[in-house]
Amino acid sequence: EVQLEESGGGLVRPGGSVRLSCLASGFRFRDYDMYWVRQAPGKGLEWVSFIHGTGRRIQYLDSVKGRFTVSRDNAGNLMSLQMNNVRVEDTAVYYCARLPGSFGAWGQGTTVIVSA
Amino acid sequence: EIVMTQSPLSLSVTPGEPASISCRSSQSLFLQSNGYDYLDWYLQKPGQSPQLLIYWGSKRASGVPDRFSGSGSGTDFTLKISRVEAEDVGVYYCMQGLQDQVTFGGGTKVEIK
């Protein structure tokens, strides 16, 4: 069974940092591109970042470029999102997801609240 | 960026009645090399993460009831529920997966009358 488990969320001050992790199981992690998608309170889904299965191709939402860094450890079945210089508008549930198509699977999400 | 536009914003449906949601993309999602449309449909039930319903525009995901169907190609897609049940409440999203930067429609909230 495919499982994605996020961790690392919490309350962080504006300008601060937080590191999210996604532990994958039930599939050959290195074979799949992985995504971070967020959902602000009461809002829709917003793509944040993409990382190719090899880790060699990475993409970011414009508003997080230069502040967020995605990485993966294929040996450990782990994807991470380092969030620096966070802003109030980064407050959201952050989902780790395996996309698109028939691969579609999501974790339960981890909540990041940016507040003074 | 491919912009995804869904309609309607919300639906109130009597159990047993059909429902239909439209999704339009700002550019074609059809990939000639493999013949697939890179359009997925997700349902996010209250308090849960999104769950895959339909992929490649019309393929039902494993375990999804056959009352759900997807159709369309290119830039215009439709999700239909033949007979809505109480468990179908939630927000439905279309998502394009043609680009690494996936994008989502704004969502359609389905509730039961």
Side-chain angles (χ1 to χ4, degrees):
Chain A
E1 180 192 2
V2 172
Q3 288 197 320
L4 299 169
E5 184 176 353
E6 303 93 339
S7 60
L11 176 64
V12 59
R13 303 267 191 231
S17 298
V18 62
R19 187 177 184 87
L20 308 183
S21 296
C22 171
L23 183 62
S25 61
F27 63 101
R28 189 166 146 133
F29 184 65
R30 70 184 65 186
D31 288 347
Y32 292 87
D33 303 337
M34 295 295 295
Y35 296 74
W36 286 101
V37 177
R38 69 185 179 185
Q39 187 169 36
K43 301 297 185 182
L45 301 169
E46 180 179 52
W47 167 79
V48 173
S49 74
F50 157 91
I51 185 166
H52 189 265
T54 63
R56 293 185 193 134
R57 189 169 81 246
I58 287 172
Q59 304 273 6
Y60 297 102
L61 180 68
D62 282 350
S63 64
V64 310
K65 278 181 186 174
R67 301 188 298 121
F68 291 10
T69 303
V70 64
S71 60
R72 65 189 297 162
D73 169 10
N74 284 343
N77 293 344
L78 190 68
M79 177 176 68
S80 298
L81 185 68
Q82 177 66 39
M83 303 169 59
N84 296 333
N85 191 21
V86 296
R87 303 168 180 169
V88 170
E89 55 266 34
D90 294 323
T91 294
V93 175
Y94 284 74
Y95 294 102
C96 158
R98 189 183 76 169
L99 302 170
S102 61
F103 308 142
W106 298 60
Q108 287 305 302
T110 187
T111 300
V112 174
I113 300 173
V114 183
S115 175
Chain B
E1 176 189 334
I2 299 176
V3 177
M4 306 298 292
T5 304
Q6 270 182 252
S7 63
L9 287 179
S10 64
L11 275 178
S12 183
V13 188
T14 301
E17 293 297 303
S20 180
I21 300 169
S22 173
C23 177
R24 180 166 292 176
S25 58
S26 61
Q27 66 185 71
S28 177
L29 303 183
F30 181 75
L31 193 63
Q32 193 97 26
S33 59
N34 61 14
Y36 295 134
D37 285 280
Y38 279 68
L39 187 284
D40 302 334
W41 288 98
Y42 282 90
L43 165 60
Q44 187 174 31
K45 295 184 178 182
Q48 296 184 19
S49 55
Q51 59 188 76
L52 179 66
L53 295 175
I54 302 288
Y55 62 96
W56 293 340
S58 61
K59 304 293 186 186
R60 204 176 300 116
S62 177
V64 174
D66 60 8
R67 64 179 181 274
F68 291 94
S69 64
S71 63
S73 184
T75 61
D76 288 283
F77 300 88
T78 302
L79 176 71
K80 292 183 179 176
I81 311 172
S82 59
R83 296 172 305 279
V84 172
E85 297 188 4
E87 65 181 24
D88 300 336
V89 298
V91 181
Y92 291 76
Y93 294 95
C94 59
M95 183 201 85
Q96 67 80 16
L98 185 66
Q99 298 178 340
D100 295 342
Q101 307 96 312
V102 299
T103 47
F104 299 87
T108 296
K109 186 173 184 178
V110 172
E111 55 185 24
I112 299 296
K113 279 185 184 173

